Amino acid sequence: MKVIKILIIIIIALNAYAIKAQVSCSYYTSINFNKIGVGYEFSKSIWSDLRIYGGLAFDNFTIEPMIAFNYISNENFDLYLGAGYTLNYINGPIFPLGLRINPIEKYKNIKFHFEAEPNYNLDSEKLLFYCSFGIRYVFGKLE
């Protein structure tokens, strides 16, 4: 549990430092879990997210750091591939594939996302597959 707390503090500190760049917050929902996330866009093609699972007991406080690459990107949508790791309630690597859409041209900071996420649970040795959708808000002016 100490490792998880240290990891959270480091990622929050890095995101606080990165506030000059494209920082975002997001919400993901699915039948299985809800997640909130804080993200940072390193460039137009590489970004990260730290997701926290909701609806679990505090003992099962679960985080999911991940990094993604926009495989196809234009002003209206991003198709991305990613890799990350889920820690605590589920332990194992994740490989999200998703689509972020800018539905309203006037409000480029708002994005809807749809994501499929294969997850290998190391504890149960089972392959899990989650699908979610949600909304993301990007702080700052988008170029």
Side-chain angles (χ1 to χ4, degrees):
M1 193 67 172
K2 280 186 176 183
V3 173
I4 293 172
K5 289 179 183 177
I6 292 170
L7 182 62
I8 290 170
I9 291 169
I10 290 170
I11 291 174
I12 290 172
L14 289 173
N15 278 328
Y17 173 75
I19 200 80
K20 299 173 191 170
Q22 296 299 153
V23 174
S24 63
C25 65
S26 57
Y27 175 75
Y28 298 81
T29 188
S30 70
I31 289 175
N32 301 313
F33 297 106
N34 295 315
K35 303 178 214 177
I36 57 171
V38 176
Y40 172 66
E41 297 189 17
F42 296 99
S43 68
K44 289 190 182 278
S45 59
I46 299 174
W47 55 279
S48 66
D49 227 0
L50 173 63
R51 301 168 181 179
I52 301 170
Y53 282 64
L56 298 173
F58 194 73
D59 294 354
N60 291 325
F61 181 78
T62 300
I63 63 169
E64 187 177 88
M66 57 94 57
I67 191 159
F69 171 74
N70 291 335
Y71 183 69
I72 300 173
S73 184
N74 67 33
E75 64 183 38
N76 298 317
F77 72 91
D78 300 318
L79 179 65
Y80 63 88
L81 304 166
Y85 202 87
T86 304
L87 298 164
N88 199 13
Y89 183 71
I90 300 170
N91 288 297
I94 61 166
F95 302 98
L97 168 65
L99 179 66
R100 297 190 301 181
I101 300 171
N102 299 329
I104 306 168
E105 186 152 341
K106 185 176 178 182
Y107 301 104
K108 290 287 186 187
N109 293 51
I110 297 173
K111 299 178 181 188
F112 292 111
H113 48 240
F114 304 90
E115 187 173 279
E117 181 182 289
N119 181 323
Y120 184 72
N121 188 336
L122 296 173
D123 296 332
S124 67
E125 297 183 350
K126 291 184 179 178
L127 181 63
L128 308 171
F129 189 79
Y130 298 121
C131 293
S132 64
F133 67 93
I135 189 165
R136 173 179 304 274
Y137 183 81
V138 180
F139 295 96
K141 185 177 178 182
L142 294 177
E143 298 176 9

